[in-house]
């Protein structure tokens, strides 16, 4: 397992470069299997967990199932001190009687100051911790003034209950404006941005704000210098939810186009030549890129996780990367 530092100065946080997503733990994945997955991740040196205040209200859960499960596991194993926990708020249900949707009307609670304060304290309670290591806005909220959201995250950091702040599913210009607003207010700017990123690229769309674009990676690479505090990129759905290797997992959300099919073919060829698996090559491609990112991987079993962990030390030589990049 490799490690890297998020954030700067006295807020700097060391995390494993593989982050374990817990979206389905406690709902689709039963408690026994979930605990076994978390145990194995920790045993392999993994220290970074990702959850949210709405996992998994998209499925069978009430929305705090994953936070509750992570909280029970941390308490049962007594490992809080060894693990960094990231959670998110803002995309839980505003009206509990209505479903959530990714398209308007979304029914998202948004990132108003009251929501940020209330939901963060609820997350502390559900996780059973006194500090959230990374707190993200789950989805950008353009209805709330940016200064209000930035101030609300800054207040939680000043109270000491949040380490680093971050944002997810957001346009780059909004990240930059929010960080500049934070510097004006004298509060720590977003240090982490969580977007979808994998070896395949989605079809470009003007309003696709969930993707880690090349511009975002370029901006992240330009940070960590005086006047521009560091910004790390965390990549969700790095395995395309299993679609690289499984017929039962169709390509989704703009990924089903000829270039993806060509990329998947080369991914399989390279994997066979290296004696690795396509999933491992896809993760190694992300981990070893010119702008390294932190993949947030999901696993439904210990066996899946073991395969994922095999990517942690897989190095792609420059000629192999060039071949993968050329497609
Ligand atoms: N910020 C956001 O808006 C956002 C959005 C989505 C996800 N996330 C975070 O990112 C995490 C991962 O997301 P994801 O589940 O979409 O990502 P993913 O890592 O691309 O997909 C994980 C799924 O792929 C399948 N899989 C994993 N390893 C496999 C293997 N070795 N062989 C075959 N199939 C395998 C499993 O599906 P089965 O369980 O069906 O077998 C697993 O649940 C989530 O848990 C969450 O923490 C964040």
């Amino acid at each position: 397992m490799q490690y890297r530092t998020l954030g700067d100065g006295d807020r700097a946080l060391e995390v494993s470069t593989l982050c374990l997503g817990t979206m389905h733990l406690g709902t689709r994945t039963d408690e026994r299997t979930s605990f076994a997955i978390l145990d194995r991740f920790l045993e392999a040196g993994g220290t970074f967990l990702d959850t949210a205040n709405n996992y998994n209200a998209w499925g069978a859960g009430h929305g705090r199932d994953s936070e509750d499960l992570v909280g029970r596991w941390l308490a049962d194993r007594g490992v809080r001190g060894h693990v960094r926990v990231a959670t998110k708020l803002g995309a839980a249900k505003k009206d509990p009687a209505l479903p959530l949707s990714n398209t308007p009307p979304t029914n998202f609670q948004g990132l108003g100051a009251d929501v940020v304060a209330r939901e963060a304290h609820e997350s502390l309670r559900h996780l059973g911790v006194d500090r959230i290591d990374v707190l993200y806005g789950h989805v950008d909220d353009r209805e709330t003034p940016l200064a209000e959201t930035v101030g609300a995250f800054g207040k939680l950091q000043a109270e000491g209950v949040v380490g680093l702040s971050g944002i997810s599913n957001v346009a780059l210009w909004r990240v930059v404006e929010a960080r500049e607003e934070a510097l004006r207010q004298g509060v720590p700017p977003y240090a982490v941005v969580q977007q979808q990123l994998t070896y395949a690229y989605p079809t470009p769309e003007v309003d696709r704000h969930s993707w880690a674009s090349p511009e975002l990676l370029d901006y992240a690479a330009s940070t960590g210098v005086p006047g521009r505090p560091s910004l790390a990129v965390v990549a969700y759905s790095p395995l395309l939810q299993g679609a690289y290797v499984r017929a039962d997992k169709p390509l989704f959300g703009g990924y089903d186009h000829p270039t993806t099919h060509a990329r998947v073919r080369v991914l399989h060829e390279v994997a066979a030549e290296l004696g690795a698996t396509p999933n491992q090559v896809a993760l190694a491609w992300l981990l070893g890129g010119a702008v390294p990112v932190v993949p947030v991987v999901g696993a439904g079993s210990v066996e899946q996780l073991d395969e994922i962990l095999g990517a942690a030390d897989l190095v792609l030589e420059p000629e192999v990367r060039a071949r993968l990049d050329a497609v």
Side-chain angles (χ1 to χ4, degrees):
M1 187 65 71
Q2 316 271 335
Y3 300 87
R4 66 173 281 184
T5 301
L6 309 180
D8 308 295
D10 54 7
R11 292 190 180 275
L13 190 72
E14 187 182 81
V15 296
S16 52
T17 49
L18 279 176
C19 176
L20 181 66
T22 64
M23 181 162 64
H24 299 298
L25 304 192
T27 46
R28 208 169 75 188
T29 311
D30 66 37
E31 180 128 347
R32 209 171 122 258
T33 309
S34 299
F35 272 37
I37 290 169
L38 289 161
D39 286 343
R40 176 77 190 104
F41 185 63
L42 186 66
E43 180 192 87
T47 61
F48 196 19
L49 301 181
D50 185 81
T51 182
N53 71 342
N54 69 351
Y55 291 165
N56 197 3
W58 307 99
H62 55 72
R64 294 270 186 185
D65 316 77
S66 161
E67 284 188 343
D68 286 341
L69 182 128
V70 169
R72 285 195 295 279
W73 177 76
L74 289 174
D76 188 76
R77 305 305 202 239
V79 293
R80 171 63 183 114
H82 300 282
V83 175
R84 308 288 176 231
V85 182
T87 192
K88 319 182 195 74
L89 49 77
K93 290 179 182 180
K94 184 176 184 178
D95 180 344
L98 298 176
L100 285 174
S101 166
N102 275 325
T103 49
T106 59
N107 193 26
F108 290 154
Q109 60 192 171
L111 298 175
D114 291 351
V115 172
V116 171
R118 182 191 72 221
E119 294 296 309
H121 283 93
E122 274 299 292
S123 287
L124 290 167
R125 193 169 70 75
H126 283 266
L127 288 163
V129 299
D130 55 13
R131 184 178 166 96
I132 296 163
D133 298 305
V134 181
L135 180 67
Y136 297 97
H138 203 155
V139 177
D140 190 22
D141 171 9
R142 296 194 186 185
E143 306 298 313
T144 300
L146 203 53
E148 179 180 329
T149 302
V150 165
F153 276 90
K155 189 161 180 287
L156 291 166
Q157 291 177 289
E159 286 169 10
V161 294
V162 168
L164 301 175
S165 63
I167 183 78
S168 183
N169 299 303
V170 63
L172 173 58
W173 68 269
R174 295 274 298 172
V175 178
V176 177
E177 285 202 357
R179 280 165 51 89
E180 287 173 353
E181 174 60 23
L183 294 177
R184 270 193 296 276
Q185 291 188 21
V187 301
Y190 292 141
V192 194
V193 60
Q194 184 176 134
Q195 300 283 90
Q196 191 175 52
L197 186 67
T198 182
Y199 171 59
Y201 292 102
T203 311
E205 277 175 25
V206 173
D207 59 355
R208 187 186 296 287
H209 301 311
S210 57
W211 184 55
S213 65
E215 286 89 348
L216 172 65
L217 296 177
D218 184 42
Y219 173 63
S222 80
T223 65
V225 296
R228 205 180 298 137
S230 70
L231 179 77
V233 178
V234 168
Y236 74 78
S237 302
L239 302 178
L240 270 184
Q241 299 182 355
Y244 288 129
V245 291
R246 284 165 57 177
D248 66 317
K249 295 283 181 130
L251 292 167
F252 61 94
Y255 283 92
D256 191 359
H257 55 79
T259 306
T260 299
H261 294 281
R263 285 207 150 205
V264 172
R265 271 196 301 278
V266 174
L267 198 63
H268 280 251
E269 281 168 24
V270 165
E273 288 165 24
L274 296 180
T277 69
N279 283 334
Q280 289 169 342
V281 175
L283 289 173
W285 183 84
L286 285 172
L287 287 165
V291 183
V293 301
V294 175
V296 195
V297 282
S301 66
V302 172
E303 291 70 30
Q304 285 184 358
L305 179 62
D306 277 334
E307 183 186 330
I308 289 164
L309 290 168
D313 299 309
L314 178 64
V315 176
L316 302 177
E317 296 301 332
E319 58 276 17
V320 173
R321 283 200 77 85
R323 201 169 133 207
L324 288 162
D325 289 346
V327 183

